[in-house]
Amino acid sequence: MLSVTVKACCVMACCAMAAWSEKSKFFTVLLDPGHTPKMGGATSVRGIKEVVYNDHLAAILADTLSAHGLRVLLTRRPGEDVSLEDRVAVSRNSQAQCFIALHHDSAQPKYLEQINSNGVEAFSTRIPIRGYSIFVSQKNVQYQKSLSLAQGIGRSVLSLGRKPTLHHAEPIPGENRPLLDSTLGIYRFDDLVVLAKNLLPAILIEYGVLVDRTDEEYVSDSGNQARFAHAICGAIEEFVKK
Ligand SMILES: [Zn+2]
């Protein structure tokens, strides 16, 4: 577990919410950057492993949340290998109030074609598959609170003009996830270990689809990353008030 200190205060519009409630001063968010250096997750259209994107986004989000007065912990530092079970153990010992797993998405092989990206083998979508997804597990002991957090984050991300991708609901092997809210992009995925075994309200968000060239460019843009971080921050502020 890694405690995060404030590096710099942002100058985004949501700094208007500097007047956090007393409650929020003691509110701790546990961020879980998905995958590890050895098991890097999806490969982007540029041949870069998902874990690199996850770690980068976690760092930006941690800075933003810290700058707004929240306490932030991470399950894993960049470069560390931490198992799913150990992430759950970190969560159980963390005394945090919510858990957010950060990931970037891929698509089923039938939608992909192999490409060469600057000498690196990579894959690209044959058709546009773009947007974010949020997952919750009904096995989580705080399922209703997890769903409430997911709804708040979905509304905030949607307000950025970002759309959810609904491809995880396709009735094919490897997908077929129950779609709880098609407008907000919320799915049920009961057996995700970090959600199901977590004692905290817990969600997993896929920020964008790395095998789609347009979406990969979107999630790699520093302005978009900052806006996303502020959107999450705003949603957590609402969650704290409940
Ligand atoms: Zn992932």
mmCIF file of all heavy atoms in Angstrom, residues 4-5 25 32 51 59 65 72 79 81 98 105 155 160 163 167 174 186 193 219 224 234:
data_model
loop_
_atom_site.group_PDB
_atom_site.id
_atom_site.type_symbol
_atom_site.label_atom_id
_atom_site.label_comp_id
_atom_site.label_asym_id
_atom_site.label_seq_id
_atom_site.Cartn_x
_atom_site.Cartn_y
_atom_site.Cartn_z
ATOM 1 N N VAL A 4 -0.257 8.580 -0.741
ATOM 2 C CA VAL A 4 0.066 9.567 -1.762
ATOM 3 C C VAL A 4 0.017 10.963 -1.163
ATOM 4 O O VAL A 4 -0.907 11.307 -0.450
ATOM 5 C CB VAL A 4 -0.951 9.468 -2.921
ATOM 6 C CG1 VAL A 4 -0.698 10.552 -3.958
ATOM 7 C CG2 VAL A 4 -0.862 8.095 -3.556
ATOM 8 N N THR A 5 1.025 11.761 -1.453
ATOM 9 C CA THR A 5 1.023 13.144 -0.976
ATOM 10 C C THR A 5 0.695 14.084 -2.120
ATOM 11 O O THR A 5 0.874 13.755 -3.282
ATOM 12 C CB THR A 5 2.396 13.517 -0.399
ATOM 13 O OG1 THR A 5 3.378 13.183 -1.370
ATOM 14 C CG2 THR A 5 2.672 12.768 0.871
ATOM 15 N N LYS A 25 -12.648 15.040 4.937
ATOM 16 C CA LYS A 25 -11.250 15.132 5.373
ATOM 17 C C LYS A 25 -10.708 13.776 5.807
ATOM 18 O O LYS A 25 -9.521 13.527 5.745
ATOM 19 C CB LYS A 25 -11.134 16.124 6.533
ATOM 20 C CG LYS A 25 -11.061 17.567 6.066
ATOM 21 C CD LYS A 25 -10.415 18.474 7.106
ATOM 22 C CE LYS A 25 -11.314 18.691 8.290
ATOM 23 N NZ LYS A 25 -10.847 19.748 9.190
ATOM 24 N N ASP A 32 -6.779 1.061 -7.214
ATOM 25 C CA ASP A 32 -6.162 -0.221 -7.585
ATOM 26 C C ASP A 32 -5.770 -0.192 -9.065
ATOM 27 O O ASP A 32 -6.595 -0.487 -9.937
ATOM 28 C CB ASP A 32 -7.161 -1.355 -7.323
ATOM 29 C CG ASP A 32 -6.597 -2.706 -7.732
ATOM 30 O OD1 ASP A 32 -5.389 -2.941 -7.491
ATOM 31 O OD2 ASP A 32 -7.347 -3.519 -8.312
ATOM 32 N N VAL A 51 -0.977 -2.030 -18.403
ATOM 33 C CA VAL A 51 -0.522 -1.654 -17.057
ATOM 34 C C VAL A 51 0.129 -0.267 -17.055
ATOM 35 O O VAL A 51 0.002 0.485 -16.089
ATOM 36 C CB VAL A 51 0.441 -2.734 -16.488
ATOM 37 C CG1 VAL A 51 1.723 -2.829 -17.302
ATOM 38 C CG2 VAL A 51 0.732 -2.485 -15.017
ATOM 39 N N ALA A 59 -1.825 7.594 -11.058
ATOM 40 C CA ALA A 59 -1.006 8.685 -10.511
ATOM 41 C C ALA A 59 -1.726 10.029 -10.660
ATOM 42 O O ALA A 59 -1.738 10.848 -9.731
ATOM 43 C CB ALA A 59 0.344 8.720 -11.213
ATOM 44 N N LEU A 65 -7.230 13.750 -6.423
ATOM 45 C CA LEU A 65 -8.018 13.502 -5.206
ATOM 46 C C LEU A 65 -7.317 14.085 -3.982
ATOM 47 O O LEU A 65 -7.950 14.712 -3.119
ATOM 48 C CB LEU A 65 -8.254 12.000 -5.020
ATOM 49 C CG LEU A 65 -9.086 11.296 -6.102
ATOM 50 C CD1 LEU A 65 -9.133 9.792 -5.832
ATOM 51 C CD2 LEU A 65 -10.495 11.860 -6.181
ATOM 52 N N VAL A 72 -5.577 9.269 -0.110
ATOM 53 C CA VAL A 72 -5.517 8.299 -1.212
ATOM 54 C C VAL A 72 -4.474 7.233 -0.905
ATOM 55 O O VAL A 72 -3.357 7.538 -0.472
ATOM 56 C CB VAL A 72 -5.156 8.993 -2.549
ATOM 57 C CG1 VAL A 72 -5.139 7.983 -3.688
ATOM 58 C CG2 VAL A 72 -6.134 10.117 -2.859
ATOM 59 N N GLY A 79 5.722 -0.995 -11.144
ATOM 60 C CA GLY A 79 6.891 -1.873 -11.015
ATOM 61 C C GLY A 79 6.664 -3.037 -10.078
ATOM 62 O O GLY A 79 7.401 -4.016 -10.088
ATOM 63 N N ASP A 81 4.638 -6.331 -8.444
ATOM 64 C CA ASP A 81 3.690 -7.401 -8.764
ATOM 65 C C ASP A 81 2.855 -7.678 -7.530
ATOM 66 O O ASP A 81 3.394 -8.051 -6.488
ATOM 67 C CB ASP A 81 4.445 -8.672 -9.171
ATOM 68 C CG ASP A 81 4.967 -8.568 -10.592
ATOM 69 O OD1 ASP A 81 4.149 -8.476 -11.517
ATOM 70 O OD2 ASP A 81 6.202 -8.561 -10.773
ATOM 71 N N CYS A 98 -13.699 3.554 0.105
ATOM 72 C CA CYS A 98 -14.134 3.009 -1.183
ATOM 73 C C CYS A 98 -12.923 2.560 -1.988
ATOM 74 O O CYS A 98 -11.789 2.981 -1.724
ATOM 75 C CB CYS A 98 -15.007 3.988 -1.968
ATOM 76 S SG CYS A 98 -14.125 5.361 -2.713
ATOM 77 N N ASP A 105 -9.432 -1.008 -21.660
ATOM 78 C CA ASP A 105 -10.190 -2.114 -22.248
ATOM 79 C C ASP A 105 -9.573 -2.651 -23.544
ATOM 80 O O ASP A 105 -8.755 -1.998 -24.189
ATOM 81 C CB ASP A 105 -11.599 -1.579 -22.565
ATOM 82 C CG ASP A 105 -12.689 -2.608 -22.338
ATOM 83 O OD1 ASP A 105 -12.362 -3.792 -22.167
ATOM 84 O OD2 ASP A 105 -13.876 -2.212 -22.331
ATOM 85 N N ARG A 155 -22.415 9.113 -14.170
ATOM 86 C CA ARG A 155 -23.006 10.430 -14.480
ATOM 87 C C ARG A 155 -21.911 11.471 -14.707
ATOM 88 O O ARG A 155 -21.989 12.283 -15.633
ATOM 89 C CB ARG A 155 -23.936 10.872 -13.344
ATOM 90 C CG ARG A 155 -25.302 10.203 -13.364
ATOM 91 C CD ARG A 155 -26.282 10.887 -12.418
ATOM 92 N NE ARG A 155 -25.935 10.660 -11.022
ATOM 93 C CZ ARG A 155 -26.378 9.632 -10.291
ATOM 94 N NH1 ARG A 155 -27.194 8.746 -10.821
ATOM 95 N NH2 ARG A 155 -26.016 9.487 -9.037
ATOM 96 N N LEU A 160 -18.831 14.635 -19.267
ATOM 97 C CA LEU A 160 -17.678 15.091 -20.047
ATOM 98 C C LEU A 160 -17.921 14.943 -21.546
ATOM 99 O O LEU A 160 -17.082 15.316 -22.358
ATOM 100 C CB LEU A 160 -16.433 14.258 -19.686
ATOM 101 C CG LEU A 160 -15.971 14.287 -18.231
ATOM 102 C CD1 LEU A 160 -14.800 13.329 -18.042
ATOM 103 C CD2 LEU A 160 -15.574 15.706 -17.823
ATOM 104 N N LYS A 163 -18.919 8.621 -23.886
ATOM 105 C CA LYS A 163 -20.015 7.651 -23.982
ATOM 106 C C LYS A 163 -19.534 6.281 -23.478
ATOM 107 O O LYS A 163 -18.364 5.936 -23.628
ATOM 108 C CB LYS A 163 -20.453 7.506 -25.444
ATOM 109 C CG LYS A 163 -21.030 8.793 -26.035
ATOM 110 C CD LYS A 163 -22.497 8.949 -25.637
ATOM 111 C CE LYS A 163 -23.177 10.077 -26.398
ATOM 112 N NZ LYS A 163 -22.703 11.424 -26.005
ATOM 113 N N HIS A 167 -20.159 -3.075 -25.579
ATOM 114 C CA HIS A 167 -19.752 -4.347 -26.206
ATOM 115 C C HIS A 167 -19.621 -5.506 -25.224
ATOM 116 O O HIS A 167 -19.626 -6.658 -25.638
ATOM 117 C CB HIS A 167 -18.465 -4.178 -27.026
ATOM 118 C CG HIS A 167 -17.198 -4.004 -26.237
ATOM 119 N ND1 HIS A 167 -16.845 -2.832 -25.608
ATOM 120 C CD2 HIS A 167 -16.181 -4.869 -25.983
ATOM 121 C CE1 HIS A 167 -15.667 -2.976 -25.026
ATOM 122 N NE2 HIS A 167 -15.251 -4.214 -25.228
ATOM 123 N N GLY A 174 -17.017 -14.916 -23.393
ATOM 124 C CA GLY A 174 -16.048 -13.888 -23.009
ATOM 125 C C GLY A 174 -16.691 -12.542 -22.707
ATOM 126 O O GLY A 174 -16.068 -11.679 -22.100
ATOM 127 N N ILE A 186 -23.009 0.776 -16.910
ATOM 128 C CA ILE A 186 -22.713 -0.039 -15.716
ATOM 129 C C ILE A 186 -23.122 -1.495 -15.956
ATOM 130 O O ILE A 186 -24.270 -1.773 -16.328
ATOM 131 C CB ILE A 186 -23.442 0.502 -14.477
ATOM 132 C CG1 ILE A 186 -23.035 1.955 -14.223
ATOM 133 C CG2 ILE A 186 -23.128 -0.354 -13.247
ATOM 134 C CD1 ILE A 186 -23.867 2.636 -13.145
ATOM 135 N N VAL A 193 -12.560 -10.739 -8.764
ATOM 136 C CA VAL A 193 -12.067 -10.986 -7.399
ATOM 137 C C VAL A 193 -11.963 -9.704 -6.587
ATOM 138 O O VAL A 193 -12.398 -9.646 -5.429
ATOM 139 C CB VAL A 193 -10.688 -11.694 -7.466
ATOM 140 C CG1 VAL A 193 -10.041 -11.767 -6.085
ATOM 141 C CG2 VAL A 193 -10.844 -13.083 -8.060
ATOM 142 N N VAL A 219 -7.731 8.459 -24.620
ATOM 143 C CA VAL A 219 -7.297 8.200 -23.237
ATOM 144 C C VAL A 219 -5.852 8.619 -22.996
ATOM 145 O O VAL A 219 -5.434 8.783 -21.851
ATOM 146 C CB VAL A 219 -7.495 6.712 -22.815
ATOM 147 C CG1 VAL A 219 -8.946 6.298 -22.955
ATOM 148 C CG2 VAL A 219 -6.574 5.777 -23.597
ATOM 149 N N ASN A 224 -7.723 15.202 -21.424
ATOM 150 C CA ASN A 224 -8.821 14.267 -21.143
ATOM 151 C C ASN A 224 -8.601 13.535 -19.818
ATOM 152 O O ASN A 224 -9.542 13.310 -19.055
ATOM 153 C CB ASN A 224 -8.961 13.245 -22.279
ATOM 154 C CG ASN A 224 -9.513 13.873 -23.540
ATOM 155 O OD1 ASN A 224 -10.208 14.894 -23.480
ATOM 156 N ND2 ASN A 224 -9.212 13.286 -24.684
ATOM 157 N N GLY A 234 -15.419 14.657 -8.440
ATOM 158 C CA GLY A 234 -16.762 15.188 -8.192
ATOM 159 C C GLY A 234 -17.726 14.100 -7.759
ATOM 160 O O GLY A 234 -18.554 14.288 -6.863
#
